[in-house]
Amino acid sequence: MAFNKLAVSEANTAIIDGLDAGGISAIWRRVRAHLREECGPALYSQEIARLRVRLSETGALVIIAPSNFNRDWVEDHWGARIRALWAELDPSHRDVHLLAEGQDAPQPVMAARLPAAASRSPAPTGLTADTAPTPADGTSPGDARFSFDSFRVGPANEVAAAAARTMVGASTPPFNPVFFYGDYGVGKTHLLHAVASAARNGSRPRKALYLTAEEFLSGFVTAMKARDTISFKETVRGVDVLLIDDVHFIAGKPKTEDEFLHTIAALVAENKQVVLASHKPPAELQMQDERLRSLLTGGLSCPLGKPDLDLRRQILDCKIAQATCHYPTFDVSEAVRDFLAARITSSPREMEGVLNNVICRTALIGQPVTMEVVSTALRELSLSSERRLTVDEIQKVVATHFGISTADICSKRRTQAVVRPRHIAMYLAKTLTTRSLPDIGRRFGGRDHSTVIHAVSKVTGMIDAGDSVADEIDALTRELQG
């Protein structure tokens, strides 16, 4: 059978085995719509559009990926988000499993989950423990992709990598909590998984639990609704190492902030290691509880920056080596590797997206990797040699220009000295980046997408009216792109 185009039609992606069109299928359409808006049309058609769903015999939702490679990518990058969206839209709160085509039964989703104690009540939804035994060789699912061995180190992340290895090898936490921060796609999640894996499989095995902030939030809300917060507390506090990703999603939610504060404080008091990650340092998070901000800033904060050319090449070589485990015929010449490393300057995550596109165009249909194929993949994903701006960069440049802080721009303050720069920053984020409106809103203190629309309309109207804001935007654009 000839291999079809990568962008599968919506009619094919909507295949749902044996489900009622008005129930599960409707929820799946809504989930896909959210994902398309959040990840953009290129990545959506590349990775998400090929997924289909069915129900298992136990009533759990099973999401089917066409290959192990696709399944792993979706699980790593969007698994938690898919489960969170499904939990919001599905009143039955069924389990969600992500499998590759041909797998017969759901596999454990998160290797860092704890075995459940026999006498303990079931953990809240989102914190269900894995019960599968660890393999005899001491490894665990995902080690090859998210280990210290596969984490490439350079000037942009060497401090964070050193801190991670130090805490794993220490008998008591040398720093607590440890807070990794940096833009999306620079390796924070990889480092957290590496710490969890090393803690579980080291010479002194320890219980390690990795959660996204959405999973922490969902588990806590579910526990409150079920009036069973004790089980939730036992699950997240009964570990030796707690790792929570995307902490900024907890900011601004008072009840969750309070539980988060007490969880971290309890673990720190018992010399249990706490490792956190976010796209901003603790001081810039919009926390309502100053006690929580103080606790987070009192630990060790380690930045992860964008990789330089040498580090990008190392990361690319590592990802190609991982890909050849699935596709032995996949061969990339040195010239193509140099070309990709030089072109993709934004983040390793976009590099991985391009690589996935290249794999589908070559290894899956028995074609060689050529410069033409790679150039086509770059064009399809709207990537070029131009530097890709981030919302964080825009916020910093605008804040400096107007003599305020990035925390002011993301705050709830509504004075003219803050509102005007905030509107301009939102306008620039919309016009100079590929981020969706909801994503931009979240990065401005958790605001709604309608707030971004209002800001863009406001600034556009001022420009049309000949306001001096046009000159300010021109100057800021030149500075950002220069």
Side-chain angles (χ1 to χ4, degrees), residues 204-223:
R204 298 180 301 102
R206 290 178 286 172
K207 295 179 181 179
L209 175 64
Y210 169 92
L211 296 172
T212 64
E214 283 188 300
E215 288 173 320
F216 184 93
L217 175 61
S218 175
F220 178 58
V221 171
T222 301

Side-chain angles (χ1 to χ4, degrees), residues 173 176-177 216 232-242 244 257-274 276 291-292 295-296:
N176 219 1
F216 184 93
F232 176 85
K233 295 178 190 291
E234 289 179 348
T235 300
V236 297
R237 300 184 191 186
V239 297
D240 302 308
V241 183
L242 177 65
I244 298 184
E257 279 191 15
D258 187 64
E259 178 61 29
F260 190 56
L261 166 66
H262 291 300
T263 295
I264 296 175
L267 290 169
V268 170
E270 296 177 10
N271 272 334
K272 306 292 183 64
Q273 183 70 65
V274 178
L276 310 171
R291 297 173 302 166
L292 178 56
L295 180 60
L296 297 183

Side-chain angles (χ1 to χ4, degrees), residues 63-298:
I63 301 176
I64 306 296
S67 67
N68 286 322
F69 195 87
N70 179 238
R71 182 264 179 202
D72 292 343
W73 191 94
V74 174
E75 181 65 79
D76 298 338
H77 295 86
W78 293 96
R81 182 58 178 154
I82 289 173
R83 292 183 178 86
L85 286 170
W86 196 276
E88 291 176 9
L89 300 172
D90 182 7
S92 63
H93 301 293
R94 67 184 79 243
D95 291 335
V96 178
H97 302 281
L98 185 59
L99 304 177
E101 189 73 55
Q103 284 185 299
D104 296 328
Q107 302 297 312
V109 172
M110 196 165 292
R113 300 290 167 81
L114 290 175
S119 61
R120 183 174 298 168
S121 301
T125 302
L127 298 179
T128 305
D130 281 345
T131 57
T134 301
D137 61 0
T139 63
S140 59
D143 281 352
R145 292 176 296 111
F146 293 120
S147 66
F148 283 123
D149 288 340
S150 60
F151 187 83
R152 296 298 180 260
V153 179
N157 59 20
E158 58 186 354
V159 174
R165 287 184 176 275
T166 299
M167 77 174 87
V168 167
S171 56
T172 58
F175 319 102
N176 219 1
V178 174
F179 198 104
F180 298 125
Y181 68 92
D183 202 5
Y184 293 90
V186 295
K188 303 184 300 297
T189 298
H190 187 146
L191 203 54
L192 260 61
H193 277 294
V195 171
S197 177
R200 292 191 307 271
N201 301 312
S203 57
R204 298 180 301 102
R206 290 178 286 172
K207 295 179 181 179
L209 175 64
Y210 169 92
L211 296 172
T212 64
E214 283 188 300
E215 288 173 320
F216 184 93
L217 175 61
S218 175
F220 178 58
V221 171
T222 301
M224 287 197 300
K225 289 180 179 179
R227 298 183 179 180
D228 187 22
T229 57
I230 293 178
S231 294
F232 176 85
K233 295 178 190 291
E234 289 179 348
T235 300
V236 297
R237 300 184 191 186
V239 297
D240 302 308
V241 183
L242 177 65
L243 309 99
I244 298 184
D245 208 349
D246 294 329
V247 170
H248 45 278
F249 285 121
I250 293 175
K253 301 173 177 64
K255 290 185 178 180
T256 308
E257 279 191 15
D258 187 64
E259 178 61 29
F260 190 56
L261 166 66
H262 291 300
T263 295
I264 296 175
L267 290 169
V268 170
E270 296 177 10
N271 272 334
K272 306 292 183 64
Q273 183 70 65
V274 178
V275 190
L276 310 171
S278 174
H279 71 292
K280 289 185 177 181
E284 295 184 16
L285 295 178
Q286 302 301 305
M287 297 290 184
Q288 295 188 12
D289 193 326
E290 289 301 323
R291 297 173 302 166
L292 178 56
R293 187 192 309 278
S294 176
L295 180 60
L296 297 183
T297 55

